[in-house]
Amino acid sequence: MMAASEKKIQQDIVRHLRGMGAWAFKVHGSPYQQAGVPDLLVGYQGRFYALEVKRPGMPLTTIQAKVIDAIHAAGCVAGRVESVEDAARLLEEG
């Protein structure tokens, strides 16, 4: 069986997080946007989260890793996720 597409994983994560009461926004990249911005921006229980969604086993790009580091440096929570469970865990542990 073929693994789910990144788009499908993102949709499932957004649906689940909204069900948890989170505000979730899918970033649609464009040439006018800063490179490396994570796929999903999320507000949950007074905190800001940025989630880079990847298919299982796919690595972050160098710029994605740098942006996640910058988000951490600003005191926010960011990370790479590849499933609904990963995303929910990041929010619960954040």
Side-chain angles (χ1 to χ4, degrees):
M1 185 158 100
M2 190 169 160
S5 69
E6 189 172 301
K7 179 179 178 179
K8 172 75 167 105
I9 297 167
Q10 289 174 4
Q11 291 170 338
D12 291 346
I13 289 171
V14 167
R15 186 177 313 105
H16 182 80
L17 296 182
R18 287 179 178 164
M20 291 172 55
W23 173 85
F25 175 79
K26 165 62 179 117
V27 175
H28 295 279
S30 81
Y32 305 104
Q33 174 187 302
Q34 175 184 327
V37 173
D39 297 309
L40 303 176
L41 303 180
V42 179
Y44 182 65
Q45 296 184 345
R47 300 230 30 208
F48 171 80
Y49 300 83
L51 287 64
E52 181 59 44
V53 180
K54 293 290 188 185
R55 291 180 65 193
M58 297 301 295
L60 294 172
T61 65
T62 301
I63 189 69
Q64 289 168 337
K66 286 181 181 180
V67 170
I68 287 173
D69 287 346
I71 292 168
H72 287 153
C76 300
V77 180
R80 178 194 172 284
V81 299
E82 57 185 51
S83 67
V84 168
E85 295 78 16
D86 284 352
R89 186 171 28 261
L90 186 68
L91 267 65
E92 293 300 330
E93 292 174 357

